[in-house]
Amino acid sequence: MAVLVEDRAARLGGRNTLVAALRGAFAPRRVVYALVLLILVAQVAVPAAILLYTSLKDARPTDADYFSLEFTLENFQKAFASGRLLQVTLTTVWFALGSTLVALVLGTYLAWVVARTNAPFRQLVGLLTIVQMAVPGILIPVAWTFLASPEIGMINVAWRNLTGGDGTLFNVYSMAGLILVNGLTMVPMVYLFVVTVFSSMNSSLEEAAEVAGARKWQAVRDISLPLAAPGIAAVAIMALMRAWESFEIPWILGLKEKIFTYASEIYLRTSTPPSDVGLISTYAVFMLAGAVIMIWWYDRFNKTGERYAVISGKNFASARMDLGRWRVPVAIITFLVLVPVILLPLLTLLWLSLNPYFRQPGWDALTSISFEAYVAAVQTPNMVQGFLNSLLVGVLAAVGVLTLSTLAAWFSARRLAGGRLLYLLTSVPMALPNVIVGISFLWIFLIVPLPIYATHWALVIAYITLIIAVVGRLINARMLQISSELEEAAQVAGASFLRAIWTIVVPLLSPALLAGGLITMVMSFRELQTTLYLAGPHTRTAAVVMFDMAGDGQFSHMAAFGIITFAILLVGLVGYNRLNARMGIEGGI
Amino acid sequence: MRTARKLRVAAPLAAVALALTACGGGGGEERQAAALPENLAVASTVDMTDAEYAEYMKGLEEASKKEGGVIKYYFSAPAASAEKMINLFIEKYPWVKLEYTSGGTLELIERIITENAAGRASADVIQGGPLEDNTLCRDEQLCLKYDPRGERDLPADRAYAGCGCSVGDFFTFHILYNRNKVPQAEAPKTLEDLTDPKWKGRFGINVDQLDWFAGVLAQLGEDKGLDLMKRIAANEPVTYTGTDGLEKLAAGEFDVALPQSATRQVRDMIDDGAPIEIVTTPVTIAQPDMYFPMKNAPHPATTRLYMEWLMSDDWQNKVAEAVVKIPIRPGATIPESAEGILKSELFFETTDNFGDYDTRVRQHQSIFITG
């Protein structure tokens, strides 16, 4: 440290001014960088290091010989031993690519309609798209079971009644079914990412193309989409990683036809307690390698980041594309897209919640519906506690995630020294399985002599690690669109580094920050696997209460609880949309 | 813009306020196991005289009050079912407070092992089965060897002498069928019936029930049991997990489902009109509900109090009504729906006859899941 200070002093014109040198060494920017780095190392590098280290050990973190210098490749041998790993990996590749494609196409289309066109009811479209996030994750495959099961699915039963045949229109248990359902669940995330990107695009660029003779669709293809490329690339990577580690949908829907993905294979191979952390870590090493490759590719893609900056010191307008005679067809197509994304699953859950067990819609069933499941759901022990805990943890996690993501994105987007390290640290968690995060933090919180275990803080810290990769990509993509000349102008005018970020960058980041906060809140409500390792009797979240219900009983109760959760989160989503509208961000009502 | 400005001021203030709130919230009060006085730290009350037992229980109650009357309960089942039971315990001992930790079996076992390894044991009692017995008691030596008085007159096949637990009740595994799709006369009566080609693809197998699988192998013998399972699997059952099988059976996704336990959940669905019938096979696999007092329990007096109550007449006669399970003590009130079950030959699956856990998992998965 002394050497660094003296070196700096020497470079300050050769005079050994200690105060000036210290002032430079502890410049706000460096202090902030050091703090962010320290926090991210603790949040991310420690669980990742545990993962890598444990994959080479034949001991658990709490064993006496865990820190011995004996390493082994036995876990890797076990991973390959069954011979299924290659087959499962190929299945997962198809599953992940297919889901990502479905989500990208539908999510980008919806974002374009809402942010860039004058389609009717676009505010409602925006709300309905993101409202799917409020449906508890485990209920989506349940709803689709009763929608598209070959034997009892309502769609197939209706098809058979219509055609008089005994065929199946759509089999939800097939690979196509898994891909479609998983892709549909990722549409809101893609939409949120891409709509913030589309919202900030300068329409004068498209107008210039049209003046030069290009048609509207050509302007979209040659101007809008390329400019949105970094954002779309970021969300494609996130969607791919989330599809890769997706568990509920492949497990619940894939079991019947024995379609196993990476996540369900890990579950099968490691279901013997205590958890085989060595084997789980080994599987995760492969995921980490995949994530690093994708991060490297994305980084190369963004090498010339400044050319994607569309928010600059010059004034810009974001006029909508006039669809003309295509307004009504686009509205119809958009509605048809929303049917499988949200309307069908939600209506199915509503139907489930009003019946004691699943029955085909019909007059008899309609005349005997009841609200008993709602009464039972409301009487669920600890329901209010669960919601309040999720709300508290979600808000605190959102503050942490947004602060760390913003600062890391700024250092990275401005290509400052150490920025890429921060970028890497906020990306790595996308490859960390929730089980590893849960077990790592369980161990850390019990070993470290601080009263964190089983408190809200334990969940906040773990959730930041789980969520920062998703939100970090969103904020990074938006940050790339903001030209550095804006905060440079502020600093030239005398503003400090932090003031420039707070008054210039943060307001321009608002759409991404709001979307990131929303994603954090929703994921906090839905997160289960890590929570089961860390929640105590007083910190049970809504997801844990839901998990209890799943073990207890009838789907009607679960569906009712899910509808109640949905209604509560819907209030938050409407608030988010109104806030967007007031801030002039597309997608508001 | 004004809204954005307000947000920039309000957000940090709100975060600080919430952070202060969170500081005071949550648990995190694990402590070292409290030491019980020698006269209370006994391993068994089975051989105590009535007078000795009364004095012991009085001492336990006082010690329980002194340690705060908390019972930290870990169970992989829903809070609703455990709370129903423990609320009856609290009715008898009103100073007791329940702190319930739920989770999957894997997560709970992981937590207990890690907590104890770090010297911060938190659980007083864990409810589970042979898996917990094998892992926590036999492998990790974390269970308290304690025999409550209520175990003294249990028949040998229900006493579970080698377990670091008390078995308070048990439940049984059955074949269920949809009566709208299968006439009673044609319903399968035994597991062997499901190897008939007429059932090909028409029945569901619950892949969560490893205990049932181990129980059948123990009852029939390893070779005969594996052969039966393979012939059942050859009939291409539909695999499902957990509770969604009941809904699918009621909806008609498949005609028959097994193994399902005939507990409150099934009874509730039948009472609601679900077209489900329960078949009791000539030999019924029974799984004991095991209650494990922890050696390092932070509240040892309340823990012992709970174990005594569990095996007492007070609870044994309420099991049927409260949780629709069969009490372990012969002669105690049983659920009306269980009367037919007790006419069959019960075979109890135990830790001793379970077999090697890893082997059973591999066998079960290769037969029914991975193929």
Side-chain angles (χ1 to χ4, degrees):
Chain A
M1 182 72 187
V3 170
L4 283 172
V5 168
E6 283 170 13
D7 176 58
R8 179 163 175 79
R11 286 190 282 116
L12 285 173
R15 291 169 48 204
N16 193 1
T17 53
L18 188 60
V19 169
L22 280 173
R23 200 179 286 153
F26 288 97
R29 202 166 77 182
R30 292 179 188 218
V31 170
V32 168
Y33 176 84
L35 275 174
V36 172
L37 182 65
L38 193 64
I39 294 171
L40 285 177
V41 163
Q43 291 275 165
V44 175
V46 172
I50 290 174
L51 183 157
L52 289 167
Y53 183 81
T54 309
S55 70
L56 297 168
K57 299 290 291 182
D58 184 24
R60 295 164 50 77
T62 49
D63 292 344
D65 55 348
Y66 182 69
F67 290 107
S68 73
L69 293 176
E70 285 175 26
F71 298 94
T72 176
L73 292 175
E74 193 184 314
N75 293 315
F76 289 87
Q77 286 165 353
K78 265 198 277 185
F80 285 106
S82 71
R84 287 167 49 84
L85 188 63
L86 182 61
Q87 175 203 333
V88 161
T89 303
L90 286 173
T91 304
T92 311
V93 166
W94 288 123
F95 172 73
L97 283 175
S99 311
T100 302
L101 192 62
V102 167
L104 263 184
V105 167
L106 298 182
T108 304
Y109 169 77
L110 291 169
W112 175 75
V113 165
V114 169
R116 305 298 301 164
T117 75
N118 65 344
F121 307 113
R122 59 184 178 278
Q123 294 92 349
L124 183 60
V125 167
L127 180 64
L128 286 175
T129 305
I130 60 176
V131 107
Q132 193 233 73
M133 295 170 73
V135 178
I138 192 171
L139 291 179
I140 299 288
V142 165
W144 275 99
T145 297
F146 295 108
L147 271 171
S149 153
E151 286 80 21
I152 58 169
M154 290 185 282
I155 293 172
N156 292 312
V157 168
W159 176 254
R160 285 193 281 272
N161 289 340
L162 201 66
T163 59
D166 57 3
T168 298
L169 182 62
F170 185 72
N171 178 5
V172 76
Y173 300 127
S174 65
M175 184 57 145
L178 264 63
I179 285 173
L180 179 68
V181 173
N182 201 58
L184 291 174
T185 62
M186 296 196 297
V187 165
M189 183 184 74
V190 170
Y191 167 83
L192 277 175
F193 269 64
V194 180
V195 84
T196 58
V197 169
F198 278 159
S199 297
S200 52
M201 285 175 57
N202 192 344
S203 61
S204 63
L205 301 170
E206 290 162 340
E207 286 161 6
E210 286 181 55
V211 161
R215 298 214 182 137
K216 284 193 194 346
W217 65 267
Q218 285 172 318
V220 169
R221 185 194 66 187
D222 298 332
I223 305 290
S224 310
L225 288 179
L227 279 176
I232 294 176
V235 76
I237 291 173
M238 288 311 309
L240 202 59
M241 287 308 298
R242 290 191 69 77
W244 188 273
E245 60 183 24
S246 169
F247 173 71
E248 279 153 349
I249 288 168
W251 182 247
I252 293 173
L253 298 180
L255 195 56
K256 188 183 178 197
E257 304 208 357
K258 297 187 174 30
I259 299 174
F260 294 101
T261 63
Y262 212 70
S264 46
E265 180 72 10
I266 291 177
Y267 178 76
L268 280 180
R269 301 291 305 280
T270 57
S271 56
T272 311
S275 305
D276 190 339
V277 285
L279 190 56
I280 299 173
S281 300
T282 303
Y283 281 114
V285 164
F286 296 120
M287 289 173 67
L288 195 58
V292 166
I293 291 169
M294 279 191 253
I295 293 164
W296 170 82
W297 171 77
Y298 180 69
D299 195 41
R300 281 177 62 92
F301 187 85
N302 284 321
K303 252 190 172 12
T304 50
E306 279 293 320
R307 70 178 186 177
Y308 295 106
V310 292
I311 304 170
S312 64
K314 307 179 194 63
N315 257 344
F316 75 95
S318 190
R320 295 178 178 281
M321 176 181 288
D322 181 7
L323 292 172
R325 62 196 168 102
W326 285 97
R327 279 190 93 213
V328 171
V330 165
I332 293 172
I333 293 170
T334 306
F335 175 75
L336 289 174
V337 167
L338 286 174
V339 164
V341 168
I342 181 60
L343 296 173
L344 278 181
L346 196 59
L347 289 172
T348 303
L349 290 176
L350 195 59
W351 179 248
L352 269 174
S353 70
L354 296 173
N355 288 271
Y357 56 93
F358 178 74
R359 297 181 285 186
Q360 294 293 333
W363 183 248
D364 286 343
L366 266 172
T367 51
S368 57
I369 60 175
S370 82
F371 290 93
E372 273 177 37
Y374 287 91
V375 173
V378 165
Q379 289 171 346
T380 301
N382 309 307
M383 188 181 114
V384 173
Q385 180 203 49
F387 276 117
L388 289 178
N389 283 333
S390 287
L391 188 63
L392 175 63
V393 170
V395 168
L396 290 175
V399 169
V401 165
L402 294 179
T403 305
L404 290 171
S405 300
T406 301
L407 292 170
W410 187 82
F411 280 102
S412 167
R414 300 295 173 254
R415 306 221 166 247
L416 297 172
R420 286 174 80 165
L421 176 59
L422 295 186
Y423 177 81
L424 186 68
L425 284 172
T426 57
S427 306
V428 153
M430 74 170 87
L432 295 179
N434 291 23
V435 167
I436 289 293
V437 173
I439 292 176
S440 300
F441 279 119
L442 173 69
W443 179 66
I444 291 167
F445 293 147
L446 284 170
I447 298 295
V448 166
L450 290 173
I452 297 178
Y453 179 57
T455 67
H456 293 101
W457 288 116
L459 296 177
V460 170
I461 291 168
Y463 284 16
I464 288 174
T465 301
L466 289 172
I467 299 169
I468 198 167
V470 175
V471 174
R473 304 289 63 68
L474 175 72
I475 290 177
N476 195 72
R478 176 77 176 182
M479 188 72 79
L480 283 173
Q481 293 184 306
I482 302 172
S483 172
S484 59
E485 66 193 33
L486 296 168
E487 75 247 26
E488 284 165 5
Q491 287 181 285
V492 162
S496 66
F497 144 72
L498 282 174
R499 190 178 170 86
I501 290 190
W502 184 245
T503 54
I504 304 292
V505 175
V506 167
L508 290 170
L509 270 184
S510 298
L513 291 175
L514 274 177
L518 177 70
I519 290 172
T520 307
M521 287 298 301
V522 170
M523 286 178 75
S524 299
F525 267 81
R526 292 167 71 155
E527 206 303 304
L528 177 65
Q529 213 168 2
T530 303
T531 311
L532 288 176
Y533 285 104
L534 300 175
H538 303 294
T539 57
R540 288 147 60 91
T541 61
V544 174
V545 176
M546 182 90 185
F547 172 80
D548 272 357
M549 293 193 76
D552 193 27
Q554 293 150 305
F555 276 10
S556 57
H557 296 185
M558 271 175 67
F561 189 85
I563 296 285
I564 293 171
T565 309
F566 167 81
I568 292 171
L569 288 176
L570 183 62
V571 171
L573 288 170
V574 169
Y576 159 79
N577 244 19
R578 284 192 185 274
L579 211 51
N580 267 345
R582 283 196 178 179
M583 289 176 143
I585 300 157
E586 304 308 338
I589 55 173
Chain B
M1 217 47 194
R2 193 178 293 174
T3 309
R5 213 175 292 141
K6 282 183 195 167
L7 264 183
R8 292 203 301 272
V9 173
L13 290 175
V16 168
L18 284 164
L20 289 172
T21 313
C23 276
E29 71 238 12
E30 312 85 24
R31 43 185 174 174
Q32 297 300 317
L36 272 183
E38 210 178 298
N39 63 317
L40 298 179
V42 299
S44 170
T45 55
V46 165
D47 296 322
M48 282 185 180
T49 63
D50 290 349
E52 285 169 345
Y53 185 68
E55 198 184 324
Y56 171 77
M57 288 299 286
K58 195 171 160 214
L60 261 194
E61 288 177 24
E62 282 165 18
S64 168
K65 286 174 188 168
K66 269 190 201 149
E67 65 185 25
V70 171
I71 183 161
K72 292 199 168 194
Y73 202 87
Y74 282 35
F75 188 23
S76 59
S81 54
E83 286 183 3
K84 218 176 245 192
M85 179 171 75
I86 296 179
N87 284 341
L88 290 169
F89 173 62
I90 292 172
E91 256 179 45
K92 190 170 168 72
Y93 301 103
W95 63 86
V96 172
K97 291 178 283 294
L98 168 67
E99 290 189 4
Y100 185 81
T101 299
S102 58
T105 303
L106 273 176
E107 290 85 3
L108 289 178
I109 290 177
E110 189 74 45
R111 287 180 78 155
I112 290 175
I113 292 173
T114 309
E115 286 167 2
N116 278 272
R120 293 167 74 169
S122 181
D124 291 314
V125 176
I126 178 167
Q127 183 177 344
L131 175 58
E132 284 83 350
D133 186 20
N134 209 36
T135 317
L136 294 175
C137 301
R138 297 186 183 201
D139 288 349
E140 301 289 333
Q141 306 287 313
L142 292 175
C143 303
L144 176 71
K145 189 75 185 76
Y146 183 76
D147 297 323
R149 198 175 203 220
E151 288 185 354
R152 64 182 174 173
D153 294 322
L154 287 178
D157 68 336
R158 298 193 184 192
Y160 288 86
C163 171
C165 69
S166 292
V167 173
D169 52 84
F170 64 94
F171 55 93
T172 47
F173 293 109
H174 300 268
I175 298 172
L176 274 55
Y177 68 92
N178 183 320
R179 63 172 174 268
N180 290 346
K181 303 197 83 182
V182 181
Q184 189 183 14
E186 291 174 21
K189 308 287 186 295
T190 64
L191 293 180
E192 188 68 41
D193 287 346
L194 290 169
T195 63
D196 189 317
K198 76 176 182 186
W199 292 110
K200 190 171 182 131
R202 290 176 62 194
F203 65 101
I205 276 271
N206 183 350
V207 296
D208 281 341
Q209 288 298 358
L210 187 65
D211 290 291
W212 166 81
F213 179 83
V216 170
L217 262 59
Q219 188 253 319
L220 290 176
E222 182 101 0
D223 292 339
K224 222 171 146 195
L226 282 174
D227 176 65
L228 174 63
M229 292 297 181
K230 285 174 184 170
R231 286 186 292 118
I232 291 174
N235 243 356
E236 296 177 13
V238 176
T239 45
Y240 68 88
T241 67
T243 54
D244 73 349
L246 280 179
E247 288 283 338
K248 289 177 178 173
L249 177 70
E253 171 105 328
F254 32 78
D255 303 344
V256 173
L258 77 150
Q260 288 289 155
S261 52
T263 51
R264 184 175 51 83
Q265 181 193 354
V266 176
R267 308 288 173 190
D268 285 348
M269 279 190 79
I270 293 173
D271 289 343
D272 284 333
I276 295 175
E277 298 290 343
I278 302 174
V279 173
T280 298
T281 47
V283 177
T284 303
I285 305 296
Q287 180 176 343
D289 255 335
M290 296 174 164
Y291 300 81
F292 303 90
M294 293 284 107
K295 200 193 300 184
N296 298 322
H299 310 95
T302 313
T303 300
R304 282 170 166 79
L305 207 58
Y306 176 73
M307 300 307 292
E308 292 293 337
W309 174 81
L310 199 67
M311 302 307 295
S312 68
D313 288 338
D314 187 26
W315 168 241
Q316 289 292 307
N317 283 318
K318 288 176 181 161
V319 170
E321 189 192 333
V323 295
V324 193
K325 289 184 184 176
I326 305 168
I328 199 71
R329 167 139 348 127
T333 310
I334 63 169
E336 203 179 294
S337 50
E339 280 164 15
I341 294 170
L342 293 183
K343 288 189 181 131
S344 76
E345 180 191 333
L346 289 178
F347 181 87
F348 284 90
E349 167 242 344
T350 67
T351 315
D352 290 322
N353 65 28
F354 193 98
D356 175 68
Y357 190 79
D358 285 339
T359 305
R360 289 289 178 255
V361 167
R362 269 198 307 275
Q363 288 167 335
H364 184 249
Q365 287 183 1
S366 67
I367 291 172
F368 288 116
I369 303 177
T370 55

